[in-house]
mmCIF file with all atom_site columns, all heavy atoms in Angstrom:
data_model
loop_
_atom_site.group_PDB
_atom_site.id
_atom_site.type_symbol
_atom_site.label_atom_id
_atom_site.label_alt_id
_atom_site.label_comp_id
_atom_site.label_asym_id
_atom_site.label_entity_id
_atom_site.label_seq_id
_atom_site.pdbx_PDB_ins_code
_atom_site.Cartn_x
_atom_site.Cartn_y
_atom_site.Cartn_z
_atom_site.occupancy
_atom_site.B_iso_or_equiv
_atom_site.pdbx_formal_charge
_atom_site.auth_seq_id
_atom_site.auth_comp_id
_atom_site.auth_asym_id
_atom_site.auth_atom_id
_atom_site.pdbx_PDB_model_num
ATOM 1  N N   . LEU U 1 23  ? -12.607 161.964 132.642 1.00 84.00 ? 23  LEU U N   1
ATOM 2  C CA  . LEU U 1 23  ? -13.242 162.168 131.340 1.00 84.00 ? 23  LEU U CA  1
ATOM 3  C C   . LEU U 1 23  ? -14.685 162.658 131.469 1.00 84.00 ? 23  LEU U C   1
ATOM 4  O O   . LEU U 1 23  ? -15.190 163.351 130.608 1.00 84.00 ? 23  LEU U O   1
ATOM 5  C CB  . LEU U 1 23  ? -13.192 160.885 130.519 1.00 84.00 ? 23  LEU U CB  1
ATOM 6  C CG  . LEU U 1 23  ? -11.800 160.491 130.012 1.00 84.00 ? 23  LEU U CG  1
ATOM 7  C CD1 . LEU U 1 23  ? -11.859 159.158 129.288 1.00 84.00 ? 23  LEU U CD1 1
ATOM 8  C CD2 . LEU U 1 23  ? -11.225 161.561 129.122 1.00 84.00 ? 23  LEU U CD2 1
ATOM 9  N N   . LEU U 1 24  ? -15.346 162.290 132.556 1.00 86.00 ? 24  LEU U N   1
ATOM 10 C CA  . LEU U 1 24  ? -16.726 162.720 132.761 1.00 86.00 ? 24  LEU U CA  1
ATOM 11 C C   . LEU U 1 24  ? -16.806 164.147 133.300 1.00 86.00 ? 24  LEU U C   1
ATOM 12 O O   . LEU U 1 24  ? -17.796 164.834 133.093 1.00 86.00 ? 24  LEU U O   1
ATOM 13 C CB  . LEU U 1 24  ? -17.442 161.763 133.714 1.00 86.00 ? 24  LEU U CB  1
ATOM 14 C CG  . LEU U 1 24  ? -17.582 160.331 133.212 1.00 86.00 ? 24  LEU U CG  1
ATOM 15 C CD1 . LEU U 1 24  ? -18.202 159.451 134.288 1.00 86.00 ? 24  LEU U CD1 1
ATOM 16 C CD2 . LEU U 1 24  ? -18.392 160.279 131.936 1.00 86.00 ? 24  LEU U CD2 1
ATOM 17 N N   . HIS U 1 25  ? -15.784 164.576 134.015 1.00 83.00 ? 25  HIS U N   1
ATOM 18 C CA  . HIS U 1 25  ? -15.775 165.908 134.628 1.00 83.00 ? 25  HIS U CA  1
ATOM 19 C C   . HIS U 1 25  ? -14.482 166.636 134.276 1.00 83.00 ? 25  HIS U C   1
ATOM 20 O O   . HIS U 1 25  ? -13.725 167.050 135.149 1.00 83.00 ? 25  HIS U O   1
ATOM 21 C CB  . HIS U 1 25  ? -15.926 165.791 136.145 1.00 83.00 ? 25  HIS U CB  1
ATOM 22 C CG  . HIS U 1 25  ? -17.127 165.016 136.559 1.00 83.00 ? 25  HIS U CG  1
ATOM 23 N ND1 . HIS U 1 25  ? -18.397 165.503 136.421 1.00 83.00 ? 25  HIS U ND1 1
ATOM 24 C CD2 . HIS U 1 25  ? -17.251 163.776 137.071 1.00 83.00 ? 25  HIS U CD2 1
ATOM 25 C CE1 . HIS U 1 25  ? -19.262 164.595 136.847 1.00 83.00 ? 25  HIS U CE1 1
ATOM 26 N NE2 . HIS U 1 25  ? -18.585 163.532 137.236 1.00 83.00 ? 25  HIS U NE2 1
ATOM 27 N N   . TYR U 1 37  ? 0.672   161.787 141.145 1.00 82.00 ? 37  TYR U N   1
ATOM 28 C CA  . TYR U 1 37  ? 1.975   161.136 141.063 1.00 82.00 ? 37  TYR U CA  1
ATOM 29 C C   . TYR U 1 37  ? 2.290   160.394 142.367 1.00 82.00 ? 37  TYR U C   1
ATOM 30 O O   . TYR U 1 37  ? 2.849   159.305 142.338 1.00 82.00 ? 37  TYR U O   1
ATOM 31 C CB  . TYR U 1 37  ? 3.064   162.172 140.754 1.00 82.00 ? 37  TYR U CB  1
ATOM 32 C CG  . TYR U 1 37  ? 2.891   162.780 139.390 1.00 82.00 ? 37  TYR U CG  1
ATOM 33 C CD1 . TYR U 1 37  ? 2.295   164.030 139.234 1.00 82.00 ? 37  TYR U CD1 1
ATOM 34 C CD2 . TYR U 1 37  ? 3.320   162.113 138.253 1.00 82.00 ? 37  TYR U CD2 1
ATOM 35 C CE1 . TYR U 1 37  ? 2.126   164.585 137.974 1.00 82.00 ? 37  TYR U CE1 1
ATOM 36 C CE2 . TYR U 1 37  ? 3.162   162.663 136.985 1.00 82.00 ? 37  TYR U CE2 1
ATOM 37 C CZ  . TYR U 1 37  ? 2.559   163.896 136.862 1.00 82.00 ? 37  TYR U CZ  1
ATOM 38 O OH  . TYR U 1 37  ? 2.395   164.440 135.617 1.00 82.00 ? 37  TYR U OH  1
ATOM 39 N N   . LYS U 1 115 ? -2.159  176.591 97.492  1.00 93.00 ? 115 LYS U N   1
ATOM 40 C CA  . LYS U 1 115 ? -3.121  177.393 96.715  1.00 93.00 ? 115 LYS U CA  1
ATOM 41 C C   . LYS U 1 115 ? -4.121  178.082 97.651  1.00 93.00 ? 115 LYS U C   1
ATOM 42 O O   . LYS U 1 115 ? -4.454  179.250 97.460  1.00 93.00 ? 115 LYS U O   1
ATOM 43 C CB  . LYS U 1 115 ? -3.840  176.493 95.715  1.00 93.00 ? 115 LYS U CB  1
ATOM 44 C CG  . LYS U 1 115 ? -4.557  177.221 94.644  1.00 93.00 ? 115 LYS U CG  1
ATOM 45 C CD  . LYS U 1 115 ? -3.556  177.920 93.751  1.00 93.00 ? 115 LYS U CD  1
ATOM 46 C CE  . LYS U 1 115 ? -4.261  178.602 92.612  1.00 93.00 ? 115 LYS U CE  1
ATOM 47 N NZ  . LYS U 1 115 ? -3.402  179.573 91.947  1.00 93.00 ? 115 LYS U NZ  1
ATOM 48 N N   . ASP U 1 123 ? -3.764  189.945 98.113  1.00 85.00 ? 123 ASP U N   1
ATOM 49 C CA  . ASP U 1 123 ? -3.775  191.334 98.579  1.00 85.00 ? 123 ASP U CA  1
ATOM 50 C C   . ASP U 1 123 ? -5.072  192.077 98.276  1.00 85.00 ? 123 ASP U C   1
ATOM 51 O O   . ASP U 1 123 ? -5.358  193.094 98.900  1.00 85.00 ? 123 ASP U O   1
ATOM 52 C CB  . ASP U 1 123 ? -2.576  192.096 98.003  1.00 85.00 ? 123 ASP U CB  1
ATOM 53 C CG  . ASP U 1 123 ? -2.588  192.137 96.486  1.00 85.00 ? 123 ASP U CG  1
ATOM 54 O OD1 . ASP U 1 123 ? -3.290  191.311 95.880  1.00 85.00 ? 123 ASP U OD1 1
ATOM 55 O OD2 . ASP U 1 123 ? -1.882  192.989 95.920  1.00 85.00 ? 123 ASP U OD2 1
ATOM 56 N N   . GLU U 1 140 ? -5.427  199.405 103.183 1.00 79.00 ? 140 GLU U N   1
ATOM 57 C CA  . GLU U 1 140 ? -5.704  198.932 101.829 1.00 79.00 ? 140 GLU U CA  1
ATOM 58 C C   . GLU U 1 140 ? -4.982  197.638 101.567 1.00 79.00 ? 140 GLU U C   1
ATOM 59 O O   . GLU U 1 140 ? -4.052  197.292 102.251 1.00 79.00 ? 140 GLU U O   1
ATOM 60 C CB  . GLU U 1 140 ? -5.309  199.988 100.794 1.00 79.00 ? 140 GLU U CB  1
ATOM 61 C CG  . GLU U 1 140 ? -3.920  200.522 100.931 1.00 79.00 ? 140 GLU U CG  1
ATOM 62 C CD  . GLU U 1 140 ? -3.603  201.582 99.913  1.00 79.00 ? 140 GLU U CD  1
ATOM 63 O OE1 . GLU U 1 140 ? -4.097  202.696 100.040 1.00 79.00 ? 140 GLU U OE1 1
ATOM 64 O OE2 . GLU U 1 140 ? -2.902  201.225 98.975  1.00 79.00 ? 140 GLU U OE2 1
#
Side-chain angles (χ1 to χ4, degrees):
L23 290 176
L24 297 175
H25 305 289
Y37 294 100
K115 195 67 177 164
D123 61 341
E140 51 182 74

